[in-house]
Amino acid sequence: MAHDLIVRNVEILDGTGADAFRGDVAVAGGRISEVGQVTAGLTANGVEIDGEGATLCPGLIDTHAHDDGAFFRYPGMEFKLAQGVTTVVSGNCGFSAVPADPQADSVAASGGILAGVEGQFTDLEGYFAAVLERSPAINNMMLVGHNTVRSLVLGQEKRAPSSAELQRMREHVGLALEQGACGFSSGLIYRPGRWSDTEEVTELAKMAAPHDALYTTHMRNEGDHLLDAVDESLTIGKDSGVHLHISHHKSAGKANWGKVKASLAKVDAAIADGQRVTLDVYPYTAGSGRMIEYFNLKNIDTQLAAVVRIASCPAFREYEGRMLVDIAAEENTDLKELTLRILTAPRGDRTLCIQFIIDEADVETNLRHADMMVGSDGIPDLRGRPHPRLFGTFPRVLGYYVRERGLMSLPEAVRRMTSLSAQTFGLHERGSIQPGFWADLLLFRPDQVKDLATYDEPKTEPVGIELVVVNGEVAYRGGQHTGVGSGQMLRYRRSSFQQ
Ligand code: ZN
Ligand code: CU
């Protein structure tokens, strides 16, 4: 069989954690056709690329994305593709594009995180079809989110659902899982999820059990009550009988730094007991999200305000990229007043912020932990100055944490960002370089790869990423996005969604 693409002369890291070996990789019909010694030739329109000794690995998998709406607003997905990411898992932290009611403003509840998805579909198949019309650059796997489902059924009511309401929530979750979602996600610090009790979440997580799918969580607390929140998550995982995945593991706030060790010990004990638990982390000391979720307007936390920077702010664009303390000093006001003014302004609830709340030592503790995966948690709002994790997460792991800090070997880092994530999130026939698997590939220079996105200049693509192939098509090469749009919509442990 002749090949459509041959990448010659590369160090192959197959994604399993094995050491690199020298060889060639060939692609035919979107899939990897030969590895190592390539014998057959090219088709008439085939492309041959000389890798010149660079490293070829499977395309990277971002296990924690909020790209549900980005697939509509930015189908070129440049901020992910340029990092070597070929698949994202969206619908995290309890916010997902589906289920949706075209009559209701499904975006409002997410505070803009889902902007771009309005009124085009109701269920996962409708979402997949609508995204495919935009020819997305990369692949997408979806979670169905608790906050979204709860908003749809109960609005913003601060109470437990009736049994009829719970049943409707179950049906929404069940339908998404049937249509190919990889699990149910929660974001229990956010509204309306924060008004639910453990039992409600457990009942909904149970819907994932027949599919052997996941329960992923942005836990109820990541600061003073981190360990209680880990206990709650483990209980939900156990009682629902599903695989628990803890998102962006951290301990937030100076008083809590170091607690990630105790939290990981709880996870390790549960694993030793036979429970299925995994985690991911982003490689930065700041979090980011919708500002109004972090503040009680009746009692502004000025300690938190002191470490907050504005990412995007429709009410005061001039504040974007600035620390609240600097704005307050310049305007001769105090942090409390400034925070209130921002959050109560028209569309103030759409303000996204960046909080410097994490200890660098904890980031390293997390990354050193066995089987820790990497999720960017990037929020794709390109109008302001987003958290640099949106453009920098994966090259930062490969460049800073692997090459410079030596936290793990390169084959191990690649395994955690490819085959491990693919197995965990049910990406069928992806995540390793082997014949028959989909040809999602990344060619990079381990000695050069580096994130360039900073808090001041966050929308900067990394260096050292030479070539990215998505489903056999060259999507990025030599700093250029080809616009080929070969991404697929993935279904949990099944073939991709086809229209
Ligand atoms: Zn989250
Ligand atoms: Cu998130």
Side-chain angles (χ1 to χ4, degrees):
M1 172 172 66
H3 305 297
D4 302 319
L5 171 69
I6 301 176
V7 186
R8 287 202 189 278
N9 196 17
V10 289
E11 292 291 325
I12 301 166
L13 271 178
D14 67 6
T16 63
D19 285 339
F21 59 97
R22 193 70 163 207
D24 311 327
V25 171
V27 173
R31 293 176 187 261
I32 295 164
S33 43
E34 276 192 89
V35 178
Q37 218 64 312
V38 170
T39 49
L42 282 167
T43 57
N45 299 321
V47 176
E48 183 167 312
I49 292 172
D50 183 355
E52 295 174 346
T55 295
L56 190 76
C57 72
L60 305 179
I61 296 161
D62 184 353
T63 60
H64 192 103
H66 292 285
D67 291 331
D68 308 51
F71 278 98
F72 295 97
R73 283 176 296 152
Y74 316 111
M77 298 297 288
E78 290 82 358
F79 41 88
K80 294 290 166 77
L81 190 56
Q83 295 183 59
V85 170
T86 55
T87 300
V88 293
V89 179
S90 298
N92 271 288
C93 297
F95 296 109
S96 57
V98 296
D101 174 359
Q103 252 64 58
D105 184 359
S106 51
V107 172
S110 79
I113 284 176
L114 297 176
V117 306
E118 294 93 335
Q120 310 183 55
F121 47 82
T122 58
D123 62 3
L124 188 59
E125 289 187 351
Y127 170 79
F128 281 164
V131 173
L132 285 176
E133 270 169 37
R134 270 86 177 166
S135 301
I138 63 175
N139 307 313
N140 186 29
M141 172 64 88
M142 288 283 284
L143 290 152
V144 56
H146 179 221
N147 292 319
T148 299
V149 168
R150 202 181 209 271
S151 299
L152 202 60
V153 174
L154 274 94
Q156 299 301 307
E157 304 248 0
K158 302 177 192 177
R159 60 169 174 85
S162 68
S163 59
E165 286 164 340
L166 184 62
Q167 184 51 30
R168 276 168 59 208
M169 290 165 74
R170 274 201 199 97
E171 285 163 9
H172 282 304
V173 173
L175 178 64
L177 289 159
E178 264 163 45
Q179 293 185 338
C182 64
F184 170 65
S185 79
S186 72
L188 299 177
I189 68 152
Y190 298 119
R191 53 195 98 174
R194 64 167 73 150
W195 298 312
S196 66
D197 59 16
T198 306
E199 196 189 326
E200 172 185 328
V201 183
T202 306
E203 286 307 306
L204 295 171
K206 275 182 188 167
M207 298 304 293
H211 302 272
D212 198 28
L214 293 108
Y215 168 58
T216 75
T217 182
H218 177 150
M219 296 187 289
R220 206 178 283 278
N221 194 287
E222 296 181 318
D224 296 350
H225 304 289
L226 170 67
L227 300 179
D228 297 335
V230 173
D231 286 340
E232 182 190 31
S233 305
L234 290 169
T235 301
I236 293 169
K238 192 176 268 180
D239 292 350
S240 61
V242 303
H243 177 146
L244 165 68
H245 183 84
I246 296 175
S247 299
H248 44 59
H249 185 239
K250 67 170 82 65
S251 57
K254 207 165 190 166
N256 300 304
W257 289 356
K259 273 190 193 168
V260 292
K261 286 195 175 131
S263 168
L264 290 171
K266 279 180 183 286
V267 167
D268 286 339
I271 293 170
D273 258 9
Q275 194 172 347
R276 287 179 298 165
V277 191
T278 47
L279 315 97
D280 63 42
V281 67
Y282 49 75
Y284 293 89
T285 56
S288 180
R290 188 185 182 194
M291 187 167 162
I292 202 160
E293 302 282 5
Y294 307 116
F295 289 97
N296 173 354
L297 295 184
K298 290 186 191 103
N299 182 17
I300 297 291
D301 178 349
T302 49
Q303 246 181 315
L304 176 61
V307 293
V308 163
R309 181 179 173 121
I310 300 299
S312 70
C313 183
F316 304 97
R317 291 280 175 207
E318 66 276 21
Y319 291 169
E320 291 174 349
R322 304 189 64 200
M323 297 292 294
L324 290 182
V325 277
D326 295 334
I327 303 167
E330 189 182 278
E331 297 190 354
N332 240 324
T333 178
D334 66 30
L335 280 176
K336 203 168 161 176
E337 222 163 284
L338 176 63
T339 304
L340 270 175
R341 184 150 57 80
I342 291 172
L343 292 176
T344 56
R347 297 211 294 156
D349 63 342
R350 295 248 174 150
T351 306
L352 297 175
C353 71
I354 295 169
Q355 321 87 251
F356 293 86
I357 48 170
I358 304 166
D359 190 21
E360 178 63 30
D362 284 352
V363 173
E364 296 209 351
T365 300
N366 270 318
L367 284 169
R368 282 180 204 275
H369 188 260
D371 290 346
M372 179 64 67
M373 285 172 250
V374 178
S376 71
D377 205 6
I379 300 171
D381 182 347
L382 298 183
R383 283 167 301 188
R385 284 183 205 231
H387 190 304
R389 66 195 184 186
L390 181 63
F391 282 76
T393 292
F394 293 86
R396 183 165 173 77
V397 170
L398 292 169
Y400 182 65
Y401 288 103
V402 174
R403 185 181 61 236
E404 290 183 31
R405 296 285 302 142
L407 294 193
M408 64 191 113
S409 72
L410 184 63
E412 170 63 5
V414 167
R415 181 189 74 86
R416 302 237 215 117
M417 301 191 290
T418 59
S419 69
L420 179 63
S421 323
Q423 282 154 15
T424 304
F425 288 87
L427 312 186
H428 187 55
E429 298 170 334
R430 295 178 195 273
S432 88
I433 296 185
Q434 62 182 81
F437 270 39
W438 286 98
D440 293 339
L441 301 167
L442 161 62
L443 183 71
F444 71 106
R445 296 267 173 200
D447 57 337
Q448 291 170 19
V449 64
K450 189 177 166 53
D451 60 304
L452 297 183
T454 61
Y455 292 97
D456 286 330
E457 296 295 340
K459 293 178 270 190
T460 316
E461 294 183 358
V463 291
I465 303 291
E466 307 223 315
L467 172 78
V468 187
V469 173
V470 180
N471 296 306
E473 306 281 342
V474 174
Y476 180 86
R477 188 180 182 184
Q480 300 295 318
H481 294 269
T482 67
V484 66
S486 57
Q488 296 181 5
M489 296 296 107
L490 309 185
R491 300 185 303 164
Y492 185 64
R493 293 182 181 169
R494 283 188 269 167
S495 60
S496 313
F497 173 77
Q498 304 282 341
Q499 268 172 291

